[in-house]
Amino acid sequence: MWSLAEIVRSCADTGLSFPETVMARDSERSGMDPRSIREIMDSRLVDMERSVKEALSGDPRGKFVGGDAALMGAYGAGHTPLSGTFAVEASRIALAVSTYNASMGRIVAAPTAGSCGILPGMLFGFGSAYPAPRERLVEALTVAGGIGQVIARRATLAGATGGCQAECGAAAAMGASALVFLQGGSPEAISHAAALTIKSIMGLVCDPVAGLVEIPCVKRNGSLVALGAICADMALAGIRSAIPPDEVIDAMRSVGHSLPESLRETGTGGIAATPTGIRMKEALL
Amino acid sequence: MRLIDVIGPVMIGPSSSHTAGAARLGGLARRIWGKPVSRVAIFLRGSFAATYKGHGTDLALVGGLAGMLPDDPRIRDSFREAKDAGICWEMKSETVDGAHPNSVRFLFSDDSGEEMEIIGSSIGGGAVVLTGIDGFSLKLSGELAAIVTFHRDEPGVVAAVGGALSKAGRNIASLNLHRQGRGGNAAMVIELDDRDIDGLEPLIKATHPAITRVLAIPGGGEN
Ligand code: SF4
């Protein structure tokens, strides 16, 4: 069964950690041996790190977006940010990588290309604040992947099916769980960090201007890292979702199904349908 | 969904369906055509036609046709490399009733007079499916190596092909039969666990007189 409750139970029964349990279950289902899964996850982290480096070293531009990461960097260097240095650094990385994606950069879809800045922002934002051994980060990425697998199975990871809650929302939930793991939280806390995040992005629509993965996608990457971080802190503080995590994911699925087509990646509703959004689209053609 | 598909693929942005999927479709069409691409007409359908410029769908399709994988940075400048490789292409849009929202039709041709039509769709997350070859409806993902047979619908074809594969020591991962009515034309798609498809084309062709044509298609070669 694809269920967070089962992963948590299995951790308790076997004494394995959350990422070990995710890895074992994935190996069982995919038929791949755990060594090669681990190797590929390791190479995904390498590719992710490379996307961060490439994104920050240039000044990537999309058709509409560009320059936000540099602004965030300058602000972070000159101020004590309200939302904390971790959140601002994670946001800077997320903005950079997701802008790099818009510029045809080479990224890791995690879980999708539109949300590809969120996990790098949270993982490498963490890594710069609290130096962690590389294996820990691979394990954290595995935790994130395990959460994503359950969301994929019980709901969806496609904006065209479930709205942006399924892309940027899911990425933030995956990242929240990864952060709880990195901070030594229990399997239960890991699963609740995801649930707390999903409850806050429930119903988030997919409404890209001109149908391009740029507006509002890049800024959602830059802000949802902070939502994920605060949900990780809530879970680490002992706060639990009153509704069990699996039920929260199921609710996200039915909300996704009730979104009209105009709010599922067609670029015809929400932000895309504002007068300015329509003007931008027309200027592009 | 496997762990490495949730965290992945590694790809050139900006869109898994419009960029990574397009590169995969180009690559799969090239593998089915089976020889260096010289002339190809590319017909964009649905949202491929509507948003190809902003998503680099055109660059990705041509990159795939030139042999680039979805994570190959050369996709950004694929037109130049494709021209250098001697590929001539033209890109058009077409409207087809009932077509998948993200789909494309390739029409290959070369100086020997050979032609081939291939239709495929990008179905989300970078995954693709081929839905037609030369007027035959079928389904092929291209992740694994595959054999496609075109044959008359007669008893014994499936058994003959299955037997030949088993004698050759190949394990079948999936088998799908697509026929256009009883006793009419049929196509069979067989996905193989083994990447090695050398020599399978003549072998399968000789197994049954009803088989008119066989394609042996290498697998995708990506993670
Ligand atoms: S708004 Fe739509 S296209 Fe943009 S990141 Fe969200 S789901 Fe993807």
Side-chain angles (χ1 to χ4, degrees):
Chain A
M1 259 305 289
W2 295 88
S3 131
L4 291 182
E6 271 217 8
I7 297 178
V8 172
R9 205 175 313 130
S10 164
C11 292
D13 289 348
T14 58
L16 294 176
S17 71
F18 199 101
E20 285 166 341
T21 304
V22 166
M23 193 74 90
R25 293 161 83 89
D26 185 59
S27 161
E28 210 173 280
R29 290 196 181 100
S30 68
M32 292 171 69
D33 77 284
R35 255 249 307 285
S36 31
I37 303 176
R38 228 200 127 73
E39 267 165 26
I40 295 175
M41 290 306 278
D42 194 278
S43 78
R44 293 285 194 260
L45 190 75
V46 171
D47 283 319
M48 225 176 228
E49 195 165 18
R50 183 152 87 167
S51 73
V52 173
K53 263 196 206 113
E54 291 175 356
L56 289 173
S57 68
D59 178 23
R61 303 261 150 186
K63 292 275 185 287
F64 304 122
V65 295
D68 295 329
L71 289 174
M72 202 57 157
Y75 171 77
H79 298 76
T80 308
L82 284 173
S83 48
T85 43
F86 167 79
V88 166
E89 177 61 4
S91 171
R92 178 177 83 98
I93 295 171
L95 289 166
V97 173
S98 116
T99 305
Y100 187 50
N101 174 60
S103 77
M104 297 193 80
R106 185 173 183 274
I107 54 87
V108 181
T112 62
S115 57
C116 71
I118 292 180
L119 280 177
M122 293 170 91
L123 292 178
F124 296 109
F126 181 92
S128 67
Y130 315 91
R134 141 164 227 95
E135 289 92 86
R136 280 293 278 174
L137 290 181
V138 176
E139 284 184 315
L141 191 59
T142 304
V143 169
I147 302 290
Q149 280 184 304
V150 176
I151 298 175
R153 192 52 185 243
R154 299 184 80 104
T156 172
L157 293 175
T161 316
C164 201
Q165 49 168 10
E167 295 204 5
C168 289
M174 291 157 62
S177 294
L179 289 181
V180 170
F181 167 77
L182 285 169
Q183 290 285 59
S186 68
E188 197 202 2
I190 290 173
S191 73
H192 278 263
L196 293 168
T197 310
I198 294 171
K199 292 204 289 192
S200 298
I201 52 81
M202 186 72 67
L204 188 63
V205 302
C206 172
D207 49 354
V209 169
L212 302 186
V213 193
E214 300 202 13
I215 303 171
C217 320
V218 168
K219 277 147 196 151
R220 277 188 191 150
N221 276 259
S223 59
L224 287 179
V225 288
L227 173 71
I230 198 70
C231 291
D233 273 331
M234 286 165 77
L236 286 162
I239 297 173
R240 295 292 174 259
S241 170
I243 309 299
D246 289 323
E247 291 184 34
V248 171
I249 296 172
D250 294 345
M252 170 182 164
R253 173 203 180 88
S254 45
V255 168
H257 282 166
S258 27
L259 289 176
E261 200 179 274
S262 63
L263 299 174
R264 285 187 280 113
E265 213 172 67
T266 50
T268 53
I271 292 297
T274 55
T276 304
I278 292 168
R279 266 202 304 281
M280 294 175 90
K281 175 183 174 174
E282 280 164 0
L284 195 69
L285 295 176
Chain B
M1 216 178 194
R2 297 175 306 173
L3 203 51
I4 60 170
D5 300 320
V6 174
I7 308 296
V10 183
M11 55 169 274
I12 301 302
S15 161
S16 54
S17 51
H18 289 68
T19 321
R24 276 207 187 120
L25 280 169
L28 180 52
R30 166 197 165 95
R31 279 182 275 135
I32 293 176
W33 171 243
K35 44 187 179 175
V37 181
S38 54
R39 266 196 312 275
V40 57
I42 306 168
F43 299 89
L44 304 173
R45 298 173 167 183
S47 100
F48 266 15
T51 64
Y52 73 94
K53 271 206 178 121
H55 283 128
T57 307
D58 47 354
L59 292 164
L61 285 166
V62 170
L65 286 167
M68 298 172 199
L69 294 178
D71 73 334
D72 191 333
R74 294 178 304 159
I75 284 177
R76 294 172 204 144
D77 193 20
S78 69
F79 286 0
R80 202 173 43 86
E81 283 215 28
K83 271 186 205 135
D84 290 349
I87 302 178
C88 267
W89 72 93
E90 50 178 342
M91 195 127 3
K92 300 173 181 168
S93 320
E94 66 182 7
T95 318
V96 179
D97 276 350
H100 184 278
N102 298 326
S103 57
V104 57
R105 180 166 70 95
F106 301 95
L107 198 58
F108 291 88
S109 58
D110 69 6
D111 288 337
S112 72
E114 199 178 325
E115 286 197 357
M116 192 183 235
E117 184 196 67
I118 296 174
I119 301 172
S121 310
S122 179
I123 54 173
V128 302
V129 63
L130 232 109
T131 54
I133 299 178
D134 286 341
F136 278 88
S137 302
L138 43 75
K139 272 201 172 118
L140 176 67
S141 78
E143 279 162 35
L144 298 172
I147 301 289
V148 179
T149 66
F150 298 94
H151 56 271
R152 284 187 311 282
D153 180 32
E154 279 179 22
V157 175
V158 177
V161 172
L165 284 171
S166 118
K167 237 188 247 155
R170 306 308 163 86
N171 196 35
I172 295 178
S174 79
L175 187 153
N176 278 292
L177 207 52
H178 309 267
R179 64 174 195 184
Q180 300 172 336
R182 193 168 172 180
N185 290 326
M188 177 162 56
V189 177
I190 304 165
E191 292 187 307
L192 300 172
D193 282 333
D194 202 333
R195 303 193 73 83
D196 176 21
I197 51 158
D198 277 356
L200 286 183
E201 191 176 325
L203 182 94
I204 300 297
K205 188 130 191 239
T207 52
H208 198 288
I211 298 176
T212 51
R213 182 177 173 203
V214 175
L215 298 170
I217 303 158
E222 322 160 33
N223 276 329

